[in-house]
């Protein structure tokens, strides 16, 4: 059983060293977990897990090994994959804003719901979204998630009306993971890595220079001599370019989070934000609506922005090859006589540091996503997760 636990931890992606595993065994030998499964769980987590971002992985490995081998309400991995989809949760939360006012008090026969739930678990062998019979999403049954039924059993997903009397397959630490798409606070934390302090800026000397104040005071026999200096200011200049519309519509709220995070971080020397659709062409839009005429020329960037601007491009790169390679590939506006690929080449030639953040980047080279694969070879691309954003910020600040 313990060997299976070790294997499950490794399989879940936890880097448990032999030393940590032996320490865990020693703690068990000393009776630190007693005969209590809860104490055993926390003992293992305190020794074997290095960061809260790995709590979710630990929980999945623990449940795989130490939950009873069979329960009538046990949820298979396939079932959780069918029911646990972020895009459905996002859609539900938008719909929920319009539905909350119509919720009324309901009476629930819990025993009947539980028995019906067990029957469906035994019989169901495929994914279901909508409907009023199977376990699924956006439906009207008393089990599943993001549906219109009040009360019942929530399976996976996130809480909606907070009316379920039972929750199955909940993962409390999913939001701690470093491989999930991120929120406003996590954006702000990662953006702090974009710091390049300088005292060479033309600003007044308004900050107390403690070291020189002490030296001058001592040299004058204790007579106080205050020395001021220029405060260190972040010298980073940031250019944020975001894909808007089309296949990026499901990520509109995410783009807003990025925009808010960047502009709340007011310590940058300069921040400029523009939008594009699918690929960068001869014009960049001033607003996410990407309306013709409400734009600037891309060449304006090259004339007016220094090459030391840090450039963050956000988009799913989910364009047809002709949109990238054809000089007429931009069906929403002018190309300026160049293909999208040539405009991207000009970007890389002018700006020293660029990264591309992709909310749904395919792993490795994906032949079915030709444009994405090509752009990966030109501009460093990272998946838009906590880990991906941190790696991207580090890439922007490397002095190479």
């Amino acid at each position: 059983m313990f060997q299976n636990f070790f294997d499950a931890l490794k399989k879940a992606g936890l880097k448990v060293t032999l030393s940590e595993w032996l320490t865990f065994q020693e703690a068990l030998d000393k009776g630190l977990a007693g005969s209590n499964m809860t104490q055993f769980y926390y003992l293992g987590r305190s020794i074997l897990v290095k960061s809260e971002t790995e709590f979710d992985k630990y929980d999945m490995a623990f449940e795989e090994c130490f939950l009873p081998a069979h329960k009538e309400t046990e949820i298979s991995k396939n079932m959780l994959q069918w029911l646990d989809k972020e895009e459905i949760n996002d859609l539900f939360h938008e719909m929920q804003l319009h539905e909350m006012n119509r919720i009324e008090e309901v009476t629930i026969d819990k025993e009947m719901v539980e028995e019906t739930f067990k029957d469906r678990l035994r019989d169901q062998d495929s994914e279901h979204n909508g409907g009023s019979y199977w376990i699924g999403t956006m439906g009207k049954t008393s089990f599943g998630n993001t549906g219109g039924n009040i009360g019942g059993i929530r399976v996976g997903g996130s809480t909606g009306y907070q009316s379920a009397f039972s929750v199955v397959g909940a993962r409390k630490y999913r939001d701690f993971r470093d491989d999930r798409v991120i929120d406003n606070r996590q954006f702000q934390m990662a953006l702090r890595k974009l710091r390049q302090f300088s005292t060479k800026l033309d600003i007044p000397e308004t900050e107390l220079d403690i070291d020189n104040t002490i030296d001058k005071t001592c040299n004058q026999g204790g007579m106080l001599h205050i020395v001021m200096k220029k405060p260190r200011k972040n010298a980073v200049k940031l250019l944020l370019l975001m894909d808007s519309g089309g296949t990026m519509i499901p990520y509109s709220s995410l783009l807003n989070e990025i925009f808010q995070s960047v502009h709340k971080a007011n310590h940058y020397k300069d921040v400029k934000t523009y939008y594009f659709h699918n690929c960068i062409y001869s014009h960049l839009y001033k607003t996410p609506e990407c309306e013709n005429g409400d734009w600037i020329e891309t060449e304006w960037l090259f004339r007016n922005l220094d090459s030391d601007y840090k450039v963050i491009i956000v988009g799913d790169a989910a364009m047809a090859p002709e949109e990238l390679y054809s000089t007429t590939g931009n069906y929403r506006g002018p190309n300026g006589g160049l293909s999208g690929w040539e405009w991207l080449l000009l970007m890389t030639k002018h700006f020293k540091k660029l990264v591309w953040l992709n909310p749904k980047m395919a792993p490795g080279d994906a032949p079915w996503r030709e444009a994405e694969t090509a752009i990966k070879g030109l501009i460093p691309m990272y998946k838009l997760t906590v880990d991906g954003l941190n790696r991207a910020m580090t890439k922007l600040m490397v002095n190479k």
Side-chain angles (χ1 to χ4, degrees), residues 12-299:
L14 282 168
K15 298 178 180 179
V16 179
T17 66
L18 180 59
S19 175
E20 291 166 343
W21 187 249
L22 292 175
T23 300
F24 179 48
Q25 296 291 322
E26 183 180 355
L28 292 174
D29 290 339
K30 291 182 177 180
L32 298 184
S35 58
N36 187 294
M37 183 62 75
T38 300
Q39 292 181 19
F40 175 81
Y41 164 86
Y42 284 111
L43 178 67
R45 199 179 76 176
S46 65
I47 296 173
L48 305 174
V49 180
K50 303 174 182 65
S51 167
E52 65 272 11
T53 62
E54 297 180 329
F55 283 177
D56 187 54
K57 299 174 184 177
Y58 178 82
D59 280 3
M60 289 191 294
F62 187 88
E63 290 179 7
E64 180 181 333
C65 292
F66 297 109
L67 283 184
H70 174 75
K71 293 194 303 183
E72 288 184 308
T73 58
E74 185 178 7
I75 303 299
S76 68
K77 290 182 179 180
N78 281 341
M79 176 72 75
L80 283 178
Q81 288 176 354
W82 297 335
L83 293 164
D84 220 357
K85 297 183 176 179
E86 288 189 10
E87 60 268 25
I88 290 179
N89 289 331
D90 293 341
L91 178 62
F92 173 72
H93 289 308
E94 291 181 14
M95 178 188 72
Q96 183 186 5
L97 297 176
H98 304 287
E99 296 289 320
M100 288 298 290
N101 292 332
R102 69 175 183 82
I103 296 178
E104 299 176 355
E105 194 73 23
V106 295
T107 302
I108 303 167
D109 187 336
K110 295 182 180 180
E111 290 186 4
M112 185 183 74
V113 171
E114 289 173 346
E115 288 301 317
T116 307
F117 177 56
K118 294 173 187 177
D119 291 340
R120 298 293 184 273
L121 274 179
R122 285 192 291 266
D123 299 337
Q124 186 165 337
D125 59 4
S126 62
E127 177 178 349
H128 287 271
N129 299 301
S132 58
Y133 186 83
W134 295 109
I135 303 168
T137 64
M138 305 295 286
K140 298 179 180 179
T141 64
S142 297
F143 19 79
N145 66 69
T146 61
N149 189 79
I150 306 301
I153 299 173
R154 175 164 66 86
V155 184
S158 59
T159 185
Y161 298 123
Q162 299 183 335
S163 64
F165 64 80
S166 179
V167 178
V168 180
R171 289 161 55 191
K172 295 184 293 183
Y173 299 103
R174 176 205 316 275
D175 290 348
F176 285 61
R177 295 178 67 124
D178 61 5
D179 56 354
R180 68 181 295 274
V181 175
I182 56 188
D183 59 22
N184 194 297
R185 179 180 178 277
Q186 291 165 324
F187 274 120
Q188 292 184 52
M189 295 295 290
L191 289 168
R192 289 182 183 179
K193 293 181 181 291
L194 285 180
R195 290 177 175 175
Q196 186 173 301
F197 292 111
S198 175
T199 57
K200 298 179 181 179
L201 303 178
D202 187 18
I203 53 179
E205 294 180 343
T206 57
E207 185 175 295
L208 177 65
D209 187 338
I210 296 177
D211 291 338
N212 281 326
T213 295
I214 293 174
D215 288 342
K216 292 286 186 180
T217 300
C218 291
N219 291 336
Q220 294 188 168
M223 180 75 68
L224 180 63
H225 184 104
I226 295 177
V227 180
M228 306 298 288
K229 64 179 180 180
K230 293 180 180 179
R232 297 197 313 159
K233 295 290 185 180
N234 193 345
V236 167
K237 294 175 286 186
L238 181 63
L239 172 61
L240 177 64
L241 305 175
M242 295 190 285
D243 188 358
S244 181
T247 55
M248 285 296 291
I249 289 177
Y251 304 101
S252 297
S253 60
L254 184 64
L255 295 184
N256 183 58
E257 294 279 2
I258 299 174
F259 179 87
Q260 295 294 333
S261 299
V262 166
H263 286 270
K264 283 180 181 177
N266 54 11
H267 49 268
Y268 297 119
K269 184 177 180 180
D270 186 37
V271 176
K272 296 191 182 301
T273 305
Y274 298 103
Y275 302 84
F276 62 93
H277 180 66
N278 285 350
C279 190
I280 293 171
Y281 298 107
S282 61
H283 291 74
L284 292 165
Y285 300 91
K286 296 179 181 179
T287 66
E289 288 76 22
C290 295
E291 295 180 353
N292 286 353
D294 191 16
W295 54 28
I296 64 161
E297 293 184 355
T298 304
E299 289 187 344

